[in-house]
Amino acid sequence: MADELDVGAEEGKKGGKKKLIIIIVVALLVLGGGGAAAYFFLFSGDDSEAAAEGESAAATEMVQTDGPAIYLDLDQPFVVDFLVSGKQRYLQLNMTLKSRDQGQIDAVKLHMPLIRNSLVLLFSSQSFDELQTIEGKQKLKSSAVETINNILTQETGMGGIEDVLFTNFVMQ
């Protein structure tokens, strides 16, 4: 009788292991199938969607003259020092560029070291007293646009910056 109980216990252990293996295999199949379904759902799209993306990319590559304004914030402020009547004075300003051509905005990003250098030279050549007037600030804006467009013309063959916006202008 004791022998019969030992044989039944061994069969129960073997059956438990088989059930565990079957559960693990089924769980792996379900997870694998779900992963495959998610992949096909997310990464397979209509051909019309791909064509629309291609058309929008081609449209972006063309020069835009009548589109929405695109702004590029020049993150680092410009700091220039002046010597006025024997006293040290400073100008700190932040700028944002306005264009309607994404290609030229990309060109500005590419040539940013050259543009920043030219703008620092422009700002440091100004008269501190003139910059305290509205007319002086307007003149500086137009000179900055001209400077940037000259660099872009040299590097890309065309300008494209419409305006320069001073988002911070501190004189001390």
Side-chain angles (χ1 to χ4, degrees), residues 157-171:
M158 61 183 203
I161 300 301
E162 287 181 22
D163 199 6
V164 168
L165 308 170
F166 293 141
T167 56
N168 187 24
F169 198 99
V170 178
M171 297 180 73

Side-chain angles (χ1 to χ4, degrees), residues 78 80 82 91 93 95 119-126 140 144:
F78 291 88
V80 180
F82 298 94
L91 165 67
L93 59 94
M95 292 176 47
L119 289 174
V120 167
L121 293 175
L122 172 69
F123 299 152
S124 63
S125 69
Q126 301 299 307
L140 184 62

Side-chain angles (χ1 to χ4, degrees), residues 12-28:
K13 288 180 183 178
K14 289 181 183 176
K17 289 181 182 178
K18 286 181 184 177
K19 286 181 186 177
L20 182 62
I21 291 173
I22 291 173
I23 290 172
I24 291 173
V25 168
V26 169
L28 289 174

